[in-house]
Amino acid sequence: TKKMGENAKVAVRNLRRDINEHAKKKEKNGEITEDDLKKALDKIQKSTDDHIKNIDAIIAKKDKDIMEV
């Protein structure tokens, strides 16, 4: 389960990287302001952190369930 959890976290981080790059391109192209970019990057990071916490909680519960069997 730990390997699955790590794989899920890597996937979330890869999505964060892709979305950050997209937002930075929009700012570079003048589609959004620098302030909008900063807000977007902060939201993206918070969402990433929330998803990582959820993954950790799920893995911890699964590990506990396995140990009880």
Side-chain angles (χ1 to χ4, degrees), residues 2-33:
K2 290 187 190 271
K3 180 71 171 167
M4 288 174 36
E6 286 304 313
N7 289 343
K9 288 190 234 183
V10 167
V12 168
R13 291 180 185 124
N14 286 340
L15 284 170
R16 175 189 58 193
R17 183 197 62 229
D18 294 346
I19 295 168
N20 281 349
E21 287 175 6
H22 181 74
K24 289 175 185 177
K25 284 180 186 176
K26 289 185 87 159
E27 191 267 336
K28 184 178 178 182
N29 291 337
E31 296 174 50
I32 61 172
T33 66

Side-chain angles (χ1 to χ4, degrees), residues 12 17 23 27 31 34 42 44 49-51 53 63:
V12 168
R17 183 197 62 229
E27 191 267 336
E31 296 174 50
E34 188 175 342
D42 288 344
I44 294 163
D49 293 342
D50 291 345
H51 282 82
K53 284 179 193 175
D63 284 345

